[in-house]
Amino acid sequence: MAAPLLSFEDLGLIQGSGWLFRHLDIQVGPRDRLALIGRNGAGKSTLLRLLAGSVAPDEGRRTIVPGTRVIMLEQDPDVSRFATLEDYVLAGEDAPAPHEAAAIADQLGIDLSREAQSASGGERRRAAIVRALALEPDVLLLDEPTNHLDIMAIDWLEGWLSRFNGAFVVISHDRTFLTRLTKQTLWLDRGAMRRAEIGFGGFEAWTEQVHAEEARNAERLDAKLKIEEHWLQRGVTGRRRRNQGRLSKLKEMRAERAAMIGPQGTAALAMGHEDGKSKVVIDVAHVTKTYGERTIIRDLNLRVTRGDRIGIVGANGAGKTTLLRLLTGELAPDSGEVKIAKTLDGIVIDQQRRLMAPDKRVRDVLADGGDWIDVLGVRKHIHGYLKEFLFDPSLTEAKVGTLSGGERSRLLLAREFARPSNLIVLDEPTNDLDLETLDLLQEVIADYDGTVLIVSHDRDFLDRTVTITLGLDGSGTIDVVAGGYEDWERQRKPKAEARKPAKAAAAPTPAPSPARKLSYKDQRDYDLLPRRIEEIEAAIARDEAKMADPDLYTRDPAAFAKLTKAVEAARDEKDAAEMRWLELAEQVEALG
């Protein structure tokens, strides 16, 4: 094993009146890909700052190989002291090279000349990524890097990190991101640190073994471990098994909805009886919506039935919010019709954050100051209900302002899912939530009797929760796919093998005369087309990254229209190039 670039021995930190953690030993070696996992409040972000050297420990010794550059990507970068995002990116004596920053910014689709004070959270996050990557770190510390990024930007960041020659430690709630990139796991659990030489893909199986061993130890040493009884009774394994059962049910629901969706991707379903399970609650017929010269939604047909879980995905600026507002009746279409059932009573959770005033107590938010809360017609004591959402009941009197971002999000979910409704709208619900809370949210959505609309960039969460995915590509076309994000991806990027039969059936040709080798032109195309296809894909990625700027259309609609046409033309060229290469590959195979 190579000597570590960065390490801490016997690390300890006091927070408030006690130790946040103590006696931690951490090593980050060359090319390590470490996932840092732990519950909200466990101290993950603080631990990253300790590794970065920006926070001093109360105990322990930090060791770093001389010359090693450690760079941290904060969750919420402070750009308030700078006039533009470029000033922020290029600030400091060790600022990155301007051309390096400009190149990365171009690929991420961020305009660094943007005024810093008016920049959105997504723009600030992209600027911080540009700065961190352009500084050419040896060790990169990433705190929720996918927050506020769209799917295109997340894909780009995954590609960059997969090619990164240094080491990184990442905190993230994005399971897909962690599974694809990490090779080792640090688990910060109840003030102790465990390390496993497995990526996040093996994390759940590993923790299940750990909890099973704890349970066996508790049976033998019950008296000594009584203080941690609440951990052993949380039912981590039980919850995971219930979720596996719900995933099986979800697959059945997807199969049912696939049978209702026509071959062209239109949700075609006859009206059910008024009280039937399949009653249509939102009926969209030939809806089109434009802004200026840009068509946001073109000729959409969709029927949403009671109990559907609809996921909406696409790049920033593709029209997800517009679609959501159309489905909920907040926005009228330019043409076509949206019929919404009169009995539909919805809650938009993102709009309820105003209820979370910092000076309110948890009791005030949940039960209007009382001790009892009605949860979908069942009366529950707030202490028991808090436990269901992984809160310590002692937090009843705590002020909302003292809770972490993840705890505030969890409290809001607890409040809103208790209220009677038959439609829940979740806008980026996974931000600020830890993995255990995401498991809980998955469970709550599965048990919800009404319809759910989810806008999210969290691919794994969508795969675990939705029955239908609406995929927006920015051109006005909306794919309606039975299933989750992976199902949409498979339809959006069909495998080359799947296109071969269609090609042969559509254009049968007489059998060619025997040949011993390809012609000069055919051989040249066969050799050069793979590189050309990669160039086209890179051009599409660059243009889509630029289109992901949420303010581009408002700032420069002509540029947005030009980019849209360029992407469409590039996709056509790519399809033609792939088909040409497949034809040549078949000839090569026939020639032996």
Side-chain angles (χ1 to χ4, degrees):
M1 180 177 178
L5 295 173
L6 174 65
S7 64
F8 249 115
E9 296 178 28
D10 205 29
L11 172 62
L13 185 74
I14 295 173
Q15 189 173 82
S17 58
W19 292 94
L20 178 62
F21 41 68
R22 200 175 187 189
H23 305 310
L24 303 189
D25 292 322
I26 305 168
Q27 294 184 340
V28 180
R31 297 280 298 172
D32 271 1
R33 274 90 173 90
L34 286 155
L36 177 55
I37 308 300
R39 297 186 69 187
N40 285 341
K44 301 187 299 295
S45 295
T46 301
L47 184 56
L48 280 194
R49 295 189 188 99
L50 285 159
L51 287 171
S54 58
V55 172
D58 292 297
E59 286 182 350
R61 182 167 66 108
R62 179 177 182 263
T63 304
I64 184 170
V65 172
T68 299
R69 174 170 281 192
V70 180
I71 301 298
M72 179 168 177
L73 175 67
E74 295 273 4
Q75 273 202 56
D76 189 16
D78 182 11
V79 301
S80 60
R81 298 182 290 111
F82 304 97
T84 67
L85 294 178
E86 184 176 31
D87 293 336
Y88 159 73
V89 169
L90 301 179
E93 294 180 1
D94 60 345
H99 69 278
E100 290 284 350
I104 295 174
D106 183 60
Q107 294 172 54
L108 263 178
I110 175 67
D111 180 7
L112 294 181
S113 66
R114 179 66 185 266
E115 183 180 332
Q117 297 299 323
S118 60
S120 67
E123 289 170 325
R124 292 196 303 271
R125 171 52 58 94
R126 288 172 190 250
I129 291 174
V130 169
R131 177 178 171 83
L133 303 190
L135 282 169
E136 300 182 344
D138 300 298
V139 178
L140 188 56
L141 308 174
L142 302 159
D143 195 352
E144 293 291 355
T146 65
N147 272 5
H148 303 295
L149 296 186
D150 62 19
I151 288 172
M152 304 301 178
I154 294 171
D155 282 343
W156 181 89
L157 183 58
E158 283 180 358
W160 192 95
L161 288 171
S162 68
R163 298 185 299 272
F164 179 47
N165 287 324
F168 65 76
V169 184
V170 57
I171 300 169
S172 179
H173 64 266
D174 188 327
R175 282 183 165 91
T176 303
F177 186 84
L178 292 174
T179 300
R180 289 181 177 179
L181 292 173
T182 61
K183 296 181 179 178
Q184 300 89 18
T185 302
L186 297 174
W187 182 21
L188 186 57
D189 179 39
R190 288 163 281 173
M193 177 68 75
R194 295 180 175 91
R195 174 168 175 150
E197 298 303 311
I198 55 173
F200 180 76
F203 175 73
E204 289 189 349
W206 173 44
T207 55
E208 198 162 305
Q209 292 175 358
V210 171
H211 285 299
E213 182 64 28
E214 285 187 353
R216 287 192 293 270
N217 290 338
E219 291 174 1
R220 295 192 296 265
L221 305 170
D222 182 68
K224 291 184 179 180
L225 293 177
K226 200 157 190 172
I227 192 171
E228 294 192 359
E229 185 179 8
H230 66 285
W231 279 93
L232 301 174
Q233 291 179 346
R234 265 193 326 109
V236 174
T237 301
R239 167 167 288 131
R240 186 167 296 128
R241 287 173 180 163
R242 290 198 302 275
N243 281 342
Q244 289 300 318
R246 288 183 170 90
L247 286 175
S248 298
K249 179 63 176 176
L250 180 63
K251 291 178 181 178
E252 295 175 10
M253 294 170 66
R254 286 175 175 173
E256 292 175 6
R257 286 306 265 128
M260 300 175 186
I261 295 178
Q264 284 76 42
T266 300
L269 174 68
M271 274 286 190
H273 296 294
E274 183 68 17
D275 295 325
K277 182 178 179 181
S278 62
K279 177 186 173 184
V280 174
V281 294
I282 304 173
D283 192 2
V284 180
H286 301 290
V287 161
T288 294
K289 185 67 182 178
T290 62
Y291 286 110
E293 297 180 355
R294 182 192 172 201
T295 300
I296 304 294
I297 296 170
R298 180 185 294 111
D299 195 30
L300 174 64
N301 294 282
L302 174 71
R303 286 176 178 173
V304 180
T305 67
R306 180 187 291 121
D308 275 343
R309 283 90 171 91
I310 308 292
I312 301 175
V313 300
N316 288 342
K320 298 189 299 296
T321 301
T322 298
L323 176 58
L324 197 63
R325 294 174 66 196
L326 284 167
L327 294 178
T328 55
E330 186 180 344
L331 186 67
D334 294 332
S335 62
E337 186 177 22
V338 179
K339 294 181 181 179
I340 299 177
K342 294 179 181 179
T343 56
L344 201 61
D345 179 20
I347 295 173
V348 182
I349 286 186
D350 188 60
Q351 295 178 354
Q352 303 298 318
R353 296 187 187 276
R354 64 181 182 275
L355 300 170
M356 309 292 285
D359 59 336
K360 283 189 174 183
R361 300 173 300 172
V362 169
R363 180 193 301 277
D364 299 327
V365 172
L366 273 187
D368 295 325
D371 290 326
W372 297 88
I373 179 173
D374 289 325
V375 181
L376 302 178
V378 178
R379 195 164 178 78
K380 295 185 177 183
H381 196 279
I382 59 172
H383 284 180
Y385 191 56
L386 282 171
K387 286 182 180 179
E388 291 181 20
F389 278 81
L390 307 181
F391 283 106
D392 187 328
S394 65
L395 287 175
T396 305
E397 303 300 325
K399 296 290 184 69
V400 170
T402 65
L403 303 180
S404 69
E407 288 171 328
R408 286 195 293 271
S409 295
R410 205 185 324 151
L411 180 62
L412 181 60
L413 292 170
R415 173 193 165 89
E416 296 310 309
F417 273 102
R419 298 170 61 191
S421 70
N422 50 28
L423 172 67
I424 288 283
V425 180
L426 298 166
D427 193 355
E428 292 295 348
T430 65
N431 285 349
D432 298 321
L433 298 183
D434 58 23
L435 295 170
E436 290 181 46
T437 306
L438 288 179
D439 282 343
L440 173 65
L441 180 56
Q442 173 195 338
E443 188 174 325
V444 172
I445 290 173
D447 291 342
Y448 183 63
D449 288 332
T451 303
V452 184
L453 302 178
I454 304 172
V455 176
S456 180
H457 297 132
D458 191 323
R459 297 153 294 181
D460 180 84
F461 182 75
L462 291 170
D463 284 333
R464 290 169 180 256
T465 53
V466 304
T467 56
I468 295 177
T469 297
L470 307 181
L472 291 80
D473 63 6
S475 69
T477 300
I478 298 178
D479 296 323
V480 182
V481 180
Y485 177 83
E486 284 192 5
D487 299 285
W488 175 60
E489 274 284 271
R490 279 194 293 270
Q491 175 164 310
R492 189 166 70 109
K493 299 178 179 178
K495 294 181 179 179
E497 290 297 322
R499 287 198 296 266
K500 285 184 181 180
K503 173 69 178 178
T509 58
S513 57
R516 287 179 296 176
K517 65 177 182 178
L518 296 178
S519 68
Y520 174 82
K521 182 179 183 304
D522 289 347
Q523 185 65 53
R524 182 175 176 80
D525 286 350
Y526 180 74
D527 293 337
L528 297 182
L529 276 174
R531 181 183 300 175
R532 177 57 187 157
I533 291 168
E534 290 180 359
E535 291 172 352
I536 297 170
E537 289 175 338
I540 291 172
R542 285 195 299 271
D543 287 344
E544 287 181 335
K546 293 175 183 176
M547 291 170 65
D549 180 354
D551 297 319
L552 176 60
Y553 178 75
T554 304
R555 186 174 66 249
D556 193 348
F560 194 101
K562 184 177 179 181
L563 285 170
T564 301
K565 291 180 180 178
V567 169
E568 290 177 354
R571 284 177 178 159
D572 290 342
E573 183 185 356
K574 175 172 173 279
D575 288 343
E578 288 177 338
M579 292 307 301
R580 167 68 173 157
W581 190 87
L582 285 171
E583 292 171 355
L584 294 172
E586 289 176 345
Q587 292 184 37
V588 170
E589 184 177 358
L591 291 170

